[in-house]
Amino acid sequence: MMTFDDLTRDTSPAFLEITNAARLVAATDVTTLICGESGTGKELIARAMHAQSPRSEASFLSINCASLTEQLADSLLFGYRKGAFTGADRDHCGYIRAATGGTLFLDEIGEFPIGAQAKLLRFLECGECLPLGEVQPVFVDVRIIAATNRNLSNEAETGRFRQDLLYRLNIVPLVLPPLRERREEIPTLLQRFVDEAAETHRLRPPTFSQPSLKLLRQHAWPGNVRELRNLAIRMTILFPGQRIEPTNLPLEMRMPMQMQMQMPSLERTDSQQGLRLPKEGLVMHQLEVDLIRQALARTGGNRSHAANLLGITRDTLLYRLKKYAIG
């Protein structure tokens, strides 16, 4: 289980401030909401809080709310009796009761179906869990930690998230800074991930030249720590024991320097009502990758919102993410 000591080795002051607050909260049973962009390590913080808490000997269960429909949220979270609905051929205790005495982590709580939010609110207020097919509620002792990459205040204003549920979740908010605001951590985190990948795959860890590290510090990191970890694994597998130079890095991570050279005149013109093509030309797919990454960074990794910014459908964005291997 990840601990706070693991998370705070050679960390930035911004991240250290958050983990110090999380240590204090971990000793209590208060409901906690962890906010931050996708890939910033929200589940790692939740697991460290559980490991530091009096509940550490009990279960830690993690549920991705984005994968739940309203019916699934009701049945899987709260449980059901055999025969409660078509296909219910046995009793199911539900994830809340399965985590009795421990911690239930509700990831992407902003995606939790609006129709099931009232029942979740009821549980948070009094510990009351009513499985489908039951007539009497069951009272369960579980600590709830939720996480989101959305602005839940905005979601509540537009009616996509219950205001009263937000108040109940947001007793102690922890806001994780994105990796681009913790750039001083990149070399240390990268070395840690490379060493882990080398041990896992029984390979010699690569090293990174100073020009490579400079480019990595300049990268936008829309995927945050998760993207950095994926890079470390990729470089370890492709270049075991070798020195990583800028030419070995993925194209999108060499983009900042190239875009400055290739696109000095890319701006809107009054006469054409469009963008001016630089005399030296440009590489279209590089431009597309850069715009996609900017949209993801601006929306905190929310793909639906990023697609809206780019003027394309979500399916089209997903196709391009896969095409360009954008993590």
Side-chain angles (χ1 to χ4, degrees):
M1 180 71 73
M2 181 69 68
T3 67
F4 284 115
D5 290 338
D6 296 324
L7 290 172
T8 55
R9 283 180 294 172
D10 302 311
T11 193
S12 66
F15 191 69
L16 187 60
E17 182 180 351
I18 296 299
T19 53
N20 285 340
R23 283 179 190 266
L24 297 175
V25 177
T28 74
D29 269 344
V30 68
T31 301
T32 305
L33 179 63
I34 306 175
C35 304
E37 295 178 8
S38 179
T40 49
K42 297 186 289 294
E43 183 166 349
L44 292 179
I45 289 288
R47 288 183 179 275
M49 290 177 65
H50 174 73
Q52 190 86 8
S53 75
R55 298 175 177 270
S56 60
E57 298 300 318
S59 299
F60 176 95
L61 293 184
S62 177
I63 307 299
N64 186 344
C65 298
S67 65
L68 300 177
T69 63
E70 185 171 333
Q71 182 177 356
L72 281 175
D74 202 348
S75 60
L76 294 182
L77 206 60
F78 299 97
Y80 54 83
R81 290 293 303 273
K82 179 179 178 180
F85 53 86
T86 302
D89 55 359
R90 58 183 176 83
D91 290 348
H92 186 283
C93 70
Y95 290 121
I96 289 178
R97 282 193 287 175
T100 297
T103 302
L104 182 64
F105 177 59
L106 300 178
D107 197 12
E108 304 299 347
I109 189 65
E111 308 281 349
F112 198 78
I114 187 72
Q117 290 180 20
K119 198 167 181 178
L120 176 59
L121 175 63
R122 177 71 176 173
F123 171 73
L124 290 172
E125 287 180 336
C126 60
E128 188 176 288
C129 178
L130 182 63
L132 291 174
E134 292 277 11
V135 294
Q136 292 294 329
V138 179
F139 293 89
V140 185
D141 174 28
V142 172
R143 200 257 180 91
I144 298 292
I145 300 177
T148 183
N149 62 9
R150 292 190 176 192
N151 186 323
L152 293 187
S153 295
N154 290 345
E155 298 291 304
E157 289 177 3
T158 57
R160 291 192 293 266
F161 199 84
R162 290 180 64 108
Q163 191 84 50
D164 48 4
L165 179 57
L166 172 58
Y167 291 147
R168 192 62 185 78
L169 289 169
N170 202 30
I171 298 175
V172 179
L174 298 173
V175 182
L176 298 187
L179 187 57
R180 62 181 175 275
E181 295 178 8
R182 302 154 46 193
R183 295 184 187 276
E184 63 270 36
E185 293 183 47
I186 290 175
T188 302
L189 287 172
L190 182 63
Q191 187 62 55
R192 185 188 307 174
F193 296 151
V194 162
D195 289 342
E196 290 175 357
E199 182 178 357
T200 299
H201 299 285
R202 299 180 181 179
L203 298 170
R204 292 174 55 205
T207 59
F208 289 78
S209 69
Q210 286 304 313
S212 296
L213 290 174
K214 182 178 180 180
L215 280 178
L216 294 180
R217 289 191 188 97
Q218 295 173 348
H219 183 55
W221 296 107
N224 290 293
V225 178
R226 182 185 295 122
E227 183 182 2
L228 182 62
R229 185 192 295 272
N230 290 344
L231 172 71
I233 295 172
R234 186 190 316 177
M235 294 295 100
T236 301
I237 292 174
L238 295 180
F239 305 102
Q242 300 180 43
R243 185 177 181 84
I244 306 298
E245 299 293 346
T247 53
N248 302 130
L249 295 175
L251 180 62
E252 64 270 19
M253 295 180 183
R254 308 197 303 267
M255 190 69 67
M257 186 179 299
Q258 293 184 2
M259 294 296 289
Q260 290 175 12
M261 293 187 296
Q262 294 179 5
M263 300 167 55
S265 302
L266 193 59
E267 58 184 18
R268 189 166 294 281
T269 64
D270 294 333
S271 59
Q272 298 175 348
Q273 293 297 309
L275 299 174
R276 181 184 297 121
L277 180 70
K279 293 181 180 178
E280 62 273 25
L282 55 81
V283 181
M284 281 299 296
H285 78 270
Q286 291 181 3
L287 175 60
E288 187 172 23
V289 167
D290 187 59
L291 292 175
I292 289 173
R293 289 193 171 278
Q294 289 185 46
L296 289 170
R298 187 173 300 179
T299 60
N302 187 299
R303 294 177 176 182
S304 296
H305 294 174
N308 289 336
L309 280 181
L310 295 167
I312 58 179
T313 66
R314 188 175 188 275
D315 286 343
T316 300
L317 175 60
L318 294 176
Y319 167 77
R320 283 171 165 75
L321 291 176
K322 183 176 182 180
K323 176 182 177 181
Y324 297 125
I326 301 174

